[in-house]
Amino acid sequence: MPAHPTSPAPLSPEARRVVTGATLGFTLMFAVWVMLAIVGLPLRRDLGLSDAQYTLLTAIPVLTGSLLRLPAGLWADRYGGKRVFVANLLLTAAFALALAYAGSYPALLALALGVGLAGVSFAVGNAWIAQWVPGERLGLALGTFGAGNAGASLTKLLAPALVAAVPAGLLIPGGWRFVPFAFGLLLLLCAALTLRLTPPDRVAPAGRTLADWLRPLRRLQVWRFGLYYVVFFGAYVAYSLFLPRYYVDHYGVPLAQAGLLTALFIFPASLLRPLGGYFSDRFGPRGVTVASFLAMLVGLLPLLRDLPLTPFLLLTTLVGAGMGIGKASTYALVAQWHPGQMGVVGGLVGLLGGLGGFALPLLFAALRPTVGEQAAFVLLFVLTAASGVVFVANMVRLKVLGVRPQYA
């Protein structure tokens, strides 16, 4: 049965502008968040970085963008999504521009922490949209916003060309440095357009204490949502960082082709997110989440052994499709169970998912000497299977107890 049998009212023009502005801004911010996965490859060669140094550099922005999602979501709930979103754009632009002029590995690490602020835009945008979109339309709206994950494909497709297009030694930074320089300018432009074209904030009513805002975080269910998001989003981020180097090192393809092949994983993992939101609104997010777990397991099982390039591409595309739909259904669950708390609860879920994106590449590298080249796929298969079991067990438990969300 549909989760909402009656046709919901159309969005107001103001809500549409919020969803559009947040989605475009998040797409650009996500491109910035993962740019070191591509920029780091020529940077690794120029600075003579070890594999460990390269992995840490690419993972550092994910750490910042994850740890700050909860406070950023809280600020957006309390002070208004537009205000916090624009501030986020401006701060990230400053760090991206500075990164273009960094001269040492320690400086790169420090500035990569600042560039990681791009990742908190997800929690801020979720809260901003939830302030304008009614609950029965949130699944599709948040899924559309979350499709901004496709910004990773902008980096994978455009960054190699930008690195080659502008040589070093010009008045503007050239080589790999031109990528953060160009992104920094685009972030400033995006901040100006967001200020100009989106409606003023709807600030949350006064009278709620910090303890009131944080009370939902006491519920174990919220932390389970975070576990599912590690599988659907954290692993997506990890694979976006991991796959370019895997294609270069394992299949021997050039950097530009590695970026293109990685984009074939990113597109379904991002662009199917609105479809996951629509299915969640139409049929309910529980069944959609189960289907997402199953799709990932079916795709991951053959990847436990080495494969030729073509079947590898097809299977990672299937895994990406499961991730894209599952990301949307997870946040539809958050919206069902915690309406009015998207900034805080969504921020924690995003924090945990983002931490997964930080930790998983490091675990891939740590397990590789023991497990072999397929360590990344073995680890994700085990994590997906375990998380799916937890989800189904709790879904059955809630059904037996007759517990339902605040709206369904």
Side-chain angles (χ1 to χ4, degrees):
M1 289 291 293
H4 299 286
T6 59
S7 178
L11 296 183
S12 68
E14 293 83 1
R16 291 181 181 276
R17 291 206 303 273
V18 168
V19 173
T20 301
T23 301
L24 293 176
F26 176 56
T27 301
L28 177 58
M29 291 284 261
F30 204 91
V32 173
W33 199 35
V34 299
M35 70 177 170
L36 285 173
I38 290 292
V39 169
L41 290 168
L43 191 157
R44 176 178 64 170
R45 181 188 62 245
D46 291 349
L47 298 185
L49 303 182
S50 67
D51 283 348
Q53 288 175 314
Y54 166 80
T55 301
L56 179 62
L57 180 63
T58 57
I60 279 291
V62 180
L63 180 64
T64 310
S66 304
L67 292 177
L68 295 181
R69 281 183 170 187
L70 177 57
L74 175 61
W75 294 332
D77 273 344
R78 298 187 71 179
Y79 305 117
K82 177 178 179 176
R83 185 177 292 111
V84 180
F85 199 84
V86 170
N88 191 193
L89 286 165
L90 293 173
L91 284 171
T92 306
F95 281 105
L97 291 170
L99 183 70
Y101 297 93
S104 66
Y105 182 69
L108 286 168
L109 286 179
L111 292 170
L113 284 168
V115 169
L117 290 171
V120 308
S121 60
F122 178 70
V124 178
N126 274 320
W128 187 18
I129 289 171
Q131 291 163 5
W132 287 90
V133 176
E136 66 273 12
R137 296 293 297 270
L138 263 179
L140 179 57
L142 295 178
T144 301
F145 167 72
N149 288 162
S153 65
L154 295 178
T155 298
K156 302 300 186 285
L157 294 173
L158 297 180
L162 292 176
V163 170
V166 182
L170 301 179
L171 293 177
I172 60 175
W176 66 264
R177 298 176 184 275
F178 183 67
V179 178
F181 179 80
F183 275 140
L185 295 181
L186 287 173
L187 288 169
L188 292 176
L189 176 61
C190 184
L193 292 175
T194 303
L195 274 172
R196 176 70 179 85
L197 300 178
T198 57
D201 271 321
R202 287 178 170 178
V203 180
R208 299 177 71 180
T209 66
L210 181 61
D212 294 331
W213 286 104
L214 297 179
R215 187 169 291 114
L217 305 189
R218 300 175 185 174
R219 298 183 62 179
L220 183 60
Q221 179 202 53
V222 173
W223 297 85
R224 287 197 299 268
F225 289 159
L227 170 64
Y228 313 144
Y229 207 59
V230 169
V231 173
F232 296 130
F233 175 75
Y236 162 77
V237 173
Y239 274 49
S240 297
L241 300 175
F242 162 79
L243 284 176
R245 185 173 65 172
Y246 186 81
Y247 282 123
V248 170
D249 294 345
H250 189 71
Y251 290 106
V253 303
L255 176 59
Q257 186 180 349
L260 175 61
L261 295 177
T262 303
L264 296 178
F265 160 78
I266 290 170
F267 279 131
S270 304
L271 299 182
L272 289 181
R273 196 163 179 166
L275 183 64
Y278 169 77
F279 284 155
S280 297
D281 284 343
R282 183 72 175 84
F283 303 108
R286 288 177 175 176
V288 177
T289 304
V290 171
S292 299
F293 279 124
L294 290 175
M296 287 185 62
L297 290 172
V298 169
L300 285 166
L301 184 59
L303 293 173
L304 301 184
R305 61 185 180 89
D306 194 12
L307 295 172
L309 181 57
T310 298
F312 180 86
L313 282 172
L314 293 174
L315 290 166
T316 53
T317 299
L318 175 59
V319 172
M323 289 177 175
I325 292 175
K327 284 184 287 188
S329 65
T330 300
Y331 265 81
L333 285 167
V334 173
Q336 277 196 352
W337 288 91
H338 301 281
Q341 294 279 357
M342 280 301 298
V344 174
V345 178
L348 177 65
V349 172
L351 182 157
L352 295 173
L355 286 180
F358 169 77
L360 285 173
L362 303 179
L363 290 173
F364 296 164
L367 291 174
R368 183 178 174 185
T370 304
V371 179
E373 292 290 332
Q374 308 311 112
F377 310 107
V378 173
L379 178 59
L380 183 56
F381 181 85
V382 172
L383 180 61
T384 302
S387 300
V389 169
V390 171
F391 181 83
V392 171
N394 281 280
M395 184 176 69
V396 172
R397 181 181 63 86
L398 291 173
K399 187 172 183 178
V400 170
L401 294 175
V403 178
R404 295 176 58 85
Q406 295 188 44
Y407 76 85

